[in-house]
Amino acid sequence: MENTAGSNPQSNGFTEKLKSWLSWSWTYVCFIWFGMVLIMIYVLWSPLKLQETLASASVFLNTLTPKFYVALTGTSSLISGLILIFEWWYFRKYGTSFIEQVSVSHLRPLLGGVESSSATGLFTSINGETEPRPSVSECKVWRNPLNLFRGAEYNRYTWVTGKEPLTYYDMNLSAQDHQTFFTGDTPQLRPEDAVMQKAWRERNPQARIRAAYQALEMNQESVFFLSTIILNAVLMSCAAAYVLLAEEEATTITEAERLFRKALSIGKPLLRPTPSQQESGSEHLDINLLVYIKRRLAMCARKLGRVKEAVKMMRDLMKEFPLLGMLNIHENLLEALLELQAYADVQAVLAKYDDISLPKSATICYTSALLKARAVSDKFSPEAASRRGLSSAEMNAVEAIHRAVEFNPHVPKYLLEMKSLILPPEHILKRGDSEAVAYAFFHLQHWKRAEGALNLLHCTWEGTFRLIPYPLEKGHLFYPYPGCTETADRELLPSFHEVSVYPKKELPFFILFTAGLCSFTAMLAMLTHQFPELMGVFAKAVSTSTTGSYSLPLLY
């Protein structure tokens, strides 16, 4: 076994060398083959009577009528136009050229090319050996901390416009979150728990609502015959059913708040877990459910105008459960404090969460930029700044804007209203277009309230791209921009929304080529139809010159 294992690296090394030699020699083989074809044509020119063949071909072309050329160029223009339409549709949908993709995936291996994925998956260690590079989840999808209510907000949008604001992929992620946080995979699954698990997985909203009512009826029938230990599980299932009704069935925020308060009153005994719950780990599911209910109650208070009450509820929730930072409750708190214009409190929250060791978000970066821009934006003038230069405070504001734009370059177009906003999805991709939509939807009003802040953003945000000319290869203050955001955002955002792409992709060569070919052949068809005699003389001249050029070898 040791001999076999020791011989494998040598055989692999020989195979790699052979492949590299073939790839290196392929270019020269093509040149040699092309040269041999030219030599063969020169040698066989007289024996095969190629001169007479070309002469007869020119005579045949001269006898053709202009209608033939009109049909030929028209057909070529039609075919190239269809290819152009397909290429453009494919590029708009998938962000790449179909011909280029087929060429790279099928023809490149035949020509001796090496796929890029194999090359990027390895890096060289200190000893010079190749090791697998650790995979970094650049495109991890996060729960939107400010997601709207389906029944009271998303469904009302559907009723008015007839468009679905949520994708199936987004709703499926939400169903998985609810099923994991509220029910879990318990070994002893009661019938009402199974009903709630099925309810979260249902695609049809009415089916989800019916399943929630069914779970409530089953719990009410069995609540008088259960022990105290099982009663907590029953209450948890009831609270989860009311959560689903508040999210799905309630058509107003007031009605949703009433159902959430009912769920909270039912779930209050779950705050005191029994020893059996602590041993089984089900108390974690109870805490997740209660935190979710309290958070949604705070969001209801914020939407109903009771902002101070919402701020107090969020602060109490963060103090009571400090280890649940992954839920990003501080982003809800930042938005509510901005609504109160409590900028000192906003700065205090940023001082805690805008740390180099903590993950960033568009809310953190752009709120920091807003506070610094607000201090100088009311007196900022581009003309005055170009004459006297930027002050230290203005420089800090511009640097904060550059930092925010580097983290998420899609946000400024929504804040400056260069792109239309849509309802934010229930899940977002950090540094992606979905996060930009979610941030601008809730924070545009705060930027408008700060006098001159949008003007300062308009004058300075594009300067960020001069600092990072190659964003996919190297960043300035953050890691290089992930290249997978476009695909994930297309899954999260509805089809009627035009996804923002960064960096902006240039049109593929084949789209430009087919567009030029279609235009050129259409022009030839039109000229041949309008001026048949002139185009006939031109075609004869071209054929004569081609025949004369091929008769040159006989002169020697």
Side-chain angles (χ1 to χ4, degrees), residues 131-206:
E131 298 177 358
R133 178 174 294 179
S135 60
V136 180
S137 57
E138 294 177 335
C139 291
K140 179 182 178 181
V141 176
W142 299 75
R143 181 81 176 178
N144 184 6
L146 296 170
N147 65 307
L148 305 178
F149 295 86
R150 285 193 187 178
E153 292 172 306
Y154 287 120
N155 287 347
R156 290 175 64 184
Y157 178 84
T158 304
W159 296 336
V160 173
T161 63
K163 298 178 180 179
E164 290 290 342
L166 297 177
T167 62
Y168 281 122
Y169 176 70
D170 192 13
M171 291 189 290
N172 186 42
L173 291 176
S174 299
Q176 294 176 7
D177 294 341
H178 294 154
Q179 188 176 352
T180 303
F181 290 160
F182 304 156
T183 57
D185 297 327
T186 54
Q188 298 179 351
L189 197 64
R190 296 175 297 108
E192 50 268 30
D193 291 334
V195 170
M196 284 307 302
Q197 282 192 351
K198 181 181 178 183
W200 295 121
R201 291 194 299 265
E202 286 286 350
R203 281 190 172 184
N204 188 1
Q206 297 302 323

Side-chain angles (χ1 to χ4, degrees), residues 263-316:
L264 182 62
S265 63
I266 292 176
K268 276 185 178 180
L270 303 179
L271 289 173
R272 299 180 294 274
T274 61
S276 61
Q277 283 181 303
Q278 295 178 354
E279 293 177 1
S280 62
S282 60
E283 62 168 324
H284 299 294
L285 300 176
D286 303 345
I287 292 176
N288 291 335
L289 178 61
L290 291 174
V291 169
Y292 183 88
I293 294 173
K294 290 186 175 182
R295 180 180 190 167
R296 296 303 262 180
L297 281 172
M299 295 176 67
C300 289
R302 163 67 183 91
K303 293 176 182 293
L304 294 174
R306 306 195 306 270
V307 187
K308 292 185 178 179
E309 178 185 348
V311 169
K312 183 179 183 303
M313 295 174 67
M314 293 173 190
R315 289 187 184 276
D316 294 341

Side-chain angles (χ1 to χ4, degrees), residues 109 393 464:
T464 309

Side-chain angles (χ1 to χ4, degrees), residues 9 32 46 65 115-116 126 244 299 343 349 370 375 403 432 439 444 470 472 477 499 524 528 533 549:
I32 295 172
S46 297
T65 61
E115 296 183 0
S116 59
I126 300 177
L244 190 147
M299 295 176 67
Y343 297 108
V349 175
L370 174 60
R403 171 177 178 261
Y439 172 80
L444 177 59
Y470 305 102
L472 298 179
L477 298 175
V499 176
L524 287 180
T528 307
E533 296 180 358
S549 63

Side-chain angles (χ1 to χ4, degrees), residues 68 74 114 140 147 157 297 454 503 512 545:
F68 171 80
V114 182
K140 179 182 178 181
N147 65 307
Y157 178 84
L297 281 172
L454 289 177
L512 301 176
S545 62

Side-chain angles (χ1 to χ4, degrees), residues 405-520:
V405 173
E406 181 183 354
F407 182 82
N408 194 317
H410 310 283
V411 174
K413 288 187 177 182
Y414 294 106
L415 293 180
L416 298 174
E417 297 181 282
M418 299 167 64
K419 288 195 66 176
S420 58
L421 274 173
I422 61 172
L423 296 185
E426 293 183 339
H427 290 80
I428 60 174
L429 179 68
K430 288 191 175 183
R431 308 187 73 178
D433 190 34
S434 54
E435 184 190 33
V437 170
Y439 172 80
F441 184 85
F442 293 100
H443 289 262
L444 177 59
Q445 55 181 335
H446 307 314
W447 279 84
K448 288 184 175 181
R449 189 181 295 124
E451 183 181 357
L454 289 177
N455 180 40
L456 180 60
L457 177 67
H458 175 71
C459 296
T460 57
W461 74 279
E462 291 182 337
T464 309
F465 306 122
R466 291 193 293 268
L467 302 175
I468 42 175
Y470 305 102
L472 298 179
E473 301 174 6
K474 185 179 181 181
H476 180 61
L477 298 175
F478 298 98
Y479 288 107
Y481 190 79
C484 56
T485 56
E486 180 184 359
T487 304
D489 281 331
R490 291 186 188 277
E491 295 287 338
L492 293 172
L493 296 172
S495 58
F496 59 83
H497 173 70
E498 183 181 355
V499 176
S500 177
V501 179
Y502 175 78
K504 195 67 177 179
K505 293 184 177 180
E506 298 180 355
L507 288 177
F509 165 77
F510 289 103
I511 290 182
L512 301 176
F513 176 76
T514 52
L517 181 62
C518 178
S519 304
F520 178 71

Side-chain angles (χ1 to χ4, degrees), residues 72-84:
L72 177 64
T73 53
T75 305
S76 302
S77 177
L78 177 62
I79 294 174
S80 57
L82 294 176
I83 296 175
L84 174 62

Side-chain angles (χ1 to χ4, degrees), residues 332-351:
N332 300 80
L333 179 61
L334 283 173
E335 197 279 327
L337 290 174
L338 287 173
E339 179 65 22
L340 293 175
Q341 301 185 37
Y343 297 108
D345 295 335
V346 173
Q347 186 61 51
V349 175
L350 287 176

